[in-house]
Amino acid sequence: MPFLKALNVESKTKQGIHKSKGGLIRSFVTVEKGNIKDIEISGDFFLFPEEALFKILEQLKGTQANREEIQKSIERIYEKERIQSPGTLPSDFTESIMKALEA
Amino acid sequence: METWRFIDFGPVDIRNMMAMDEAILKGDGGNTFFFWTPKKSIILGFFQKAELELNLTNCKDYTITRRISGGGIAFSDDRGRQINYGVVETIGNELLPLDIIESYKQICGVIIDALIHYGLNAGFRPINDVVINTPYLNTGIRSKKISGNAQTRWEGKLLQNGTLLLDFDIKEMLRILNTPKEKFLDKKIASIEEGLTWLDRELGEKLDMEDIKDVMKRKFEERFHIKLKTGKLNAKEINITNSLLPKYYSHEWVFR
């Protein structure tokens, strides 16, 4: 029941793994009241400038935990920080996060 | 002909090496090609987490640090038969394009040229691998990785690090990695041997590492139409190195 789900304040970190052409992307996501509360991403992908990943993570905190909003948040930072990530697209990060959410 | 700097750091603690690596990128020493020989060590890619990637109890006698570029673990066993190189160069010119994969291809070309010199069918596999291609059955080609490379960029320059495997201890790599325990270790090793190779195995003999480095140096000069001149870190680079050392030795950086 969605009502009960919304009241459930206990949040658990879930893991998602997705392999892009550029490498493995592991996501650890905690959701609270339908929003991403905490998120970490690790893996052997490439992304320049490297520090921009932390900006993506900051942007994602508080984002609604659905594919569209997650993708939008990531794309926004890609544009703002002029991120280049050979073999890895914003949608690969989204996919990894979605796998965590669906875990 | 233009002269670029060459440095061979020899056997080195990778924490010191990674500090010097970053200092060459962020210093003012100009275009540089350098070698080093890592002692028993593990270098994590920028985005990796040590506790996820490694079996930490099995890594107790390894020096572990992290580099500023992405990608996967660089593992060095105690056989010491690995040639590790670094390149710092300005990008956005006809020899080194801005495009990331094209710039990988250009620098990996040095390794490929050296391997071709030894009669091997070496090639570039995007994004950042050098492979040895061998005929496989009647149908096609099997590519085995012989060199892994990682690149980052800073203010119009790139830093590329990579390794050319001369020998490799797969069993030891499996021991230190956090891979699920396999019932059939031999089978696991055999499957890695199908995708990974090293020069001693390909040639069936152990060449002198210094000779291979000389060939790579020559191929580097040919590829970039320059002359390499042996030099050392300048005062500014040494200062930057010293300021970076605490980071590469810190628990926060390695186990973040």
Side-chain angles (χ1 to χ4, degrees):
Chain A
M1 279 191 286
F3 176 67
L4 279 179
K5 213 174 179 183
L7 280 179
N8 183 9
V9 285
E10 199 181 307
S11 45
K12 201 174 97 212
T13 304
K14 294 199 284 184
Q15 190 189 175
I17 294 180
H18 168 69
K19 201 164 168 39
S20 74
K21 204 172 159 271
L24 193 74
I25 306 169
R26 302 174 192 257
S27 300
F28 296 86
V29 190
T30 317
V31 174
E32 201 175 77
K33 294 172 187 162
N35 294 324
I36 293 175
K37 187 185 171 220
D38 213 354
I39 178 159
E40 285 201 64
I41 291 176
S42 78
D44 62 2
F45 52 88
F46 287 90
L47 186 145
F48 315 111
E50 284 80 3
E51 275 74 17
L53 182 72
F54 304 124
K55 292 181 179 163
I56 292 179
L57 297 177
E58 274 317 304
Q59 181 77 31
L60 284 169
K61 283 175 195 165
T63 298
Q64 277 180 47
N66 65 60
R67 187 179 287 273
E68 205 176 309
E69 290 302 317
I70 290 165
Q71 177 76 12
K72 257 199 273 176
S73 288
I74 296 171
E75 277 173 355
R76 196 173 305 139
I77 302 297
Y78 255 76
E79 210 168 299
K80 202 169 150 205
E81 302 296 326
R82 299 178 175 203
I83 291 176
Q84 285 182 279
S85 50
T88 303
L89 296 165
S91 58
D92 288 309
F93 287 107
T94 305
E95 189 56 39
S96 173
I97 296 164
M98 288 311 294
K99 281 189 174 159
L101 295 177
E102 289 155 6
Chain B
M1 194 182 277
E2 220 178 307
T3 302
W4 291 4
R5 182 173 57 168
F6 170 77
I7 305 174
D8 189 343
F9 291 97
V12 65
D13 184 309
I14 48 141
R15 294 168 295 195
N16 301 348
M17 190 61 237
M18 287 299 102
M20 293 190 283
D21 203 41
E22 187 175 347
I24 296 170
L25 175 65
K26 296 184 177 172
D28 58 358
N31 292 350
T32 308
F33 181 47
F34 51 102
F35 288 127
W36 74 88
T37 307
K39 297 175 186 169
K40 205 170 171 179
S41 61
I42 295 157
I43 307 179
L44 295 159
F46 186 85
F47 305 109
Q48 292 185 298
K49 285 202 188 302
E51 69 275 16
L52 289 176
E53 306 295 339
L54 300 172
N55 179 334
L56 288 169
T57 42
N58 288 349
C59 296
K60 290 223 165 78
D61 54 344
Y62 280 82
T63 306
I64 308 176
T65 195
R66 178 186 301 283
R67 59 174 185 266
I68 52 170
S69 51
I73 282 171
F75 156 73
S76 302
D77 55 44
D78 55 7
R79 293 179 183 177
R81 281 191 62 79
Q82 260 186 44
I83 296 175
N84 283 253
Y85 77 89
V87 174
V88 168
E89 266 186 69
T90 49
I91 38 175
N93 49 67
E94 62 179 47
L95 286 171
L96 207 51
L98 283 172
D99 181 84
I100 292 170
I101 294 178
E102 285 304 313
S103 64
Y104 267 121
K105 192 176 172 185
Q106 171 68 339
I107 295 172
C108 288
V110 173
I111 300 167
I112 294 167
D113 293 345
L115 292 169
I116 290 170
H117 168 88
Y118 289 110
L120 296 172
N121 185 11
F124 177 67
R125 183 174 67 191
I127 299 164
N128 55 335
D129 291 336
V130 174
V131 294
I132 300 291
N133 298 309
T134 41
Y136 177 61
L137 301 176
N138 294 325
T139 45
I141 298 275
R142 170 162 276 167
S143 297
K144 292 178 181 172
K145 177 172 169 175
I146 195 164
S147 159
N149 301 277
Q151 195 188 107
T152 187
R153 290 163 175 224
W154 194 79
E155 291 190 353
K157 291 182 270 184
L158 69 68
L159 164 67
Q160 185 167 315
N161 290 149
T163 177
L164 172 63
L165 300 177
L166 308 187
D167 193 6
F168 196 69
D169 190 342
I170 293 178
K171 219 171 177 175
E172 179 61 7
M173 180 187 72
L174 289 173
R175 197 180 70 87
I176 61 111
L177 288 181
N178 190 20
T179 42
K181 282 271 166 294
E182 296 247 356
K183 213 172 169 187
F184 303 103
L185 184 64
D186 290 348
K187 219 172 167 181
K188 178 90 185 165
I189 291 172
S191 101
I192 293 173
E193 278 174 343
E194 284 179 17
L196 187 76
T197 195
W198 47 92
L199 196 63
D200 294 351
R201 177 186 175 202
E202 291 298 319
L203 295 178
E205 60 171 325
K206 278 182 189 292
L207 297 181
D208 188 301
M209 200 156 96
E210 296 308 311
D211 291 343
I212 305 165
K213 279 152 79 174
D214 281 342
V215 171
M216 283 176 68
K217 260 180 86 175
R218 207 165 66 232
K219 296 300 175 188
F220 188 95
E221 291 178 322
E222 287 171 11
R223 185 162 275 266
F224 289 101
H225 312 301
I226 52 101
K227 203 82 200 143
L228 288 168
K229 188 171 179 289
T230 299
K232 52 186 183 180
L233 298 186
N234 66 28
K236 188 178 175 184
E237 288 167 325
I238 291 170
N239 282 338
I240 300 174
T241 301
N242 287 333
S243 71
L244 289 170
L245 282 174
K247 173 174 88 175
Y248 287 100
Y249 277 76
S250 74
H251 193 271
E252 295 73 46
W253 173 247
V254 182
F255 292 96
R256 67 153 188 237

